[in-house]
Amino acid sequence: MVELAPSPEAITAALEIPADINFALPDPADEEIQEHEFQQQLEDFWQLCERFDLQTEIWRGRILRAVRDREKIGGEGRGTGFLNWLKQREISKAQAYALIQLANSADTLITEGQLDPNSINNFSKRAFVETAKADPEVQKLVSDAAHNGDRITRREVKQLADEWTAMSSELLPDVLKEKATDGTVSPRHLAPLVKELEKVPETHLQALQEEAIASPDVDTVKYLTTSARNLSKYLDAAAKVQTLKAFPLDMELALQEALRLDCLNTAADLLKQATQLEQSVGKLFTTWKRLATLSDRLYVDTGASTPNLRSLLTAIESLTQEVIEVPLDEDGNNTVRLKITCSDGLATTGTTTNQ
């Protein structure tokens, strides 16, 4: 799809800041300037720099996009021309695509009518990027605020995003939404709770919601956010631990006991570490087999004429045997020995530590 170029009016509004900036900064040694006036002048200049920087990067992104698209249409060498263009200007590929994304976001917001070009200069650079990443409803709220002349920073974007998240979620009880409306509970506390509740299965939601209704205050919201986070971690990790499938274990009852003892966080971390250990063992076995294969191949390719390569194979032999020995320090005083055995295609390990 061909992207629409911004109108001349939009370009004029977006680039109304002169390219040649020469600020008359206040003299720090001038005692006649009041402190608040000194700070205000510097703040005004700083905001002007941010707006100019934002416009510059949007246009740099549009330029880079044009170079890239031209290369796609008629270039040779799979983007070599684009990469050479970046190299000449000392721009990394990651930086280039970040600028292109920024330009795409700007054009999309303007084209879809979510952002008035005349309001762009009310944004800080980071606020604009955050707005481009936000949900359409949040973009509309931010754009309306900018159109009304409000100064938009990342803080304002986050605040509006939190308000929308809290007030639009069906997972929050109405009593908490009422608290957010009257200012008793800040949306910045409710937004994390909503995000965690979205991860919790419906079978566990009701208990959390009932607790929120019983005590609709900030402390309860923080507690429920942590509880919901630990609950989702527990359930997610429990589903991944393969070792648990070999035992007649009721994970739901174990969960209830963890909740009763207020040790759900510990149980969740336990399962997370178990998952990581299983994955590490699988990766260890694959790497061990690959190392042994490469060692055998190199042994076949070497002989008496390559004594140093043979010495290399001898040096790493302890890593290719059934018992792997790995020193934990430079002195070799602490060594871990892992015994790998295969049964029905599966790897198991036995571990000893020599200190």
Side-chain angles (χ1 to χ4, degrees):
M1 183 178 69
V2 178
E3 296 187 67
L4 299 176
S7 65
E9 293 78 12
I11 295 175
T12 300
L15 298 180
E16 62 183 13
I17 303 174
D20 185 13
I21 296 181
N22 186 15
F23 295 144
L25 296 178
D27 185 357
D30 189 349
E31 298 180 356
E32 294 184 1
I33 302 178
Q34 297 295 323
E35 179 63 23
H36 68 86
E37 182 181 353
F38 178 81
Q39 294 293 339
Q40 185 60 52
Q41 289 186 42
L42 294 184
E43 177 65 21
D44 293 341
F45 291 143
W46 184 268
Q47 291 183 8
L48 187 60
C49 287
E50 280 194 335
R51 295 196 296 269
F52 182 72
D53 185 48
L54 171 61
Q55 301 305 329
T56 298
E57 298 213 347
I58 289 175
W59 279 106
R60 284 184 186 273
R62 287 169 175 166
I63 293 170
L64 290 168
R65 184 177 61 197
V67 176
R68 181 203 62 184
D69 293 349
R70 180 76 170 184
E71 178 76 11
K72 286 182 178 180
I73 296 173
E76 298 178 357
R78 297 183 178 181
T80 302
F82 177 57
L83 295 178
N84 288 337
W85 202 92
L86 298 180
K87 185 177 180 180
Q88 292 173 3
R89 289 155 181 82
E90 299 182 345
I91 302 174
S92 70
K93 190 175 180 181
Q95 290 174 323
Y97 277 98
L99 291 171
I100 290 174
Q101 183 181 21
L102 178 63
N104 289 340
S105 299
D107 294 343
T108 299
L109 289 173
I110 294 174
T111 302
E112 294 180 352
Q114 292 284 49
L115 183 63
D116 182 357
N118 295 306
S119 303
I120 290 180
N121 287 336
N122 290 331
F123 286 80
S124 69
K125 175 186 171 183
R126 291 184 177 182
F128 186 84
V129 174
E130 292 299 319
T131 302
K133 296 178 182 178
D135 294 326
E137 295 83 357
V138 177
Q139 291 178 354
K140 182 65 167 59
L141 293 173
V142 174
S143 298
D144 290 344
H147 183 70
N148 292 331
D150 294 347
R151 173 68 179 157
I152 307 298
T153 65
R154 280 205 309 174
R155 180 178 180 179
E156 279 69 33
V157 176
K158 186 179 185 306
Q159 179 179 345
L160 290 172
D162 289 346
E163 291 177 0
W164 180 82
T165 299
M167 302 310 295
S168 63
S169 175
E170 297 181 356
L171 299 177
L172 283 185
D174 290 339
V175 63
L176 281 181
K177 294 182 180 181
E178 294 173 0
K179 294 289 184 180
T181 302
D182 62 26
T184 306
V185 178
S186 173
R188 68 185 179 89
H189 291 122
L190 294 177
L193 175 58
V194 172
K195 293 177 182 178
E196 296 302 332
L197 290 178
E198 290 174 348
K199 306 173 187 177
V200 176
E202 293 186 6
T203 52
H204 297 278
L205 273 176
Q206 185 176 354
L208 295 173
Q209 292 170 335
E210 289 177 352
E211 192 165 351
I213 294 173
S215 302
D217 52 49
V218 174
D219 290 338
T220 300
V221 169
K222 291 180 179 180
Y223 172 77
L224 292 178
T225 300
T226 301
S227 298
R229 183 183 300 114
N230 291 334
L231 179 60
S232 61
K233 282 171 51 180
Y234 176 92
L235 296 173
D236 181 62
K240 295 179 180 178
V241 180
Q242 299 298 317
T243 304
L244 298 179
K245 298 180 180 179
F247 290 84
L249 175 64
D250 191 324
M251 291 302 297
E252 191 65 28
L253 291 179
L255 170 61
Q256 294 178 13
E257 292 173 357
L259 289 171
R260 177 167 54 83
L261 297 177
D262 196 22
C263 61
L264 179 58
N265 184 35
T266 304
D269 284 341
L270 171 72
L271 293 174
K272 182 179 179 181
Q273 293 300 319
T275 301
Q276 293 179 352
L277 179 60
E278 285 186 341
Q279 294 172 349
S280 298
V281 169
K283 186 176 181 180
L284 168 65
F285 180 68
T286 302
T287 304
W288 176 72
K289 292 285 289 183
R290 177 63 175 165
L291 180 63
T293 300
L294 293 173
S295 180
D296 292 341
R297 184 186 305 172
L298 188 58
Y299 182 84
V300 172
D301 293 339
T302 59
S305 62
T306 56
N308 293 301
L309 282 176
R310 281 298 177 91
S311 296
L312 171 63
L313 292 174
T314 301
I316 66 171
E317 187 175 3
S318 61
L319 299 177
T320 61
Q321 302 302 310
E322 183 177 305
V323 177
I324 302 174
E325 294 188 5
V326 180
L328 297 180
D329 51 38
E330 295 181 358
D331 298 332
N333 295 326
N334 297 317
T335 303
V336 171
R337 294 185 179 90
L338 297 172
K339 183 177 181 181
I340 300 181
T341 59
C342 299
S343 176
D344 297 330
L346 299 178
T348 59
T349 63
T351 306
T352 61
T353 303
N354 180 30
Q355 295 185 343

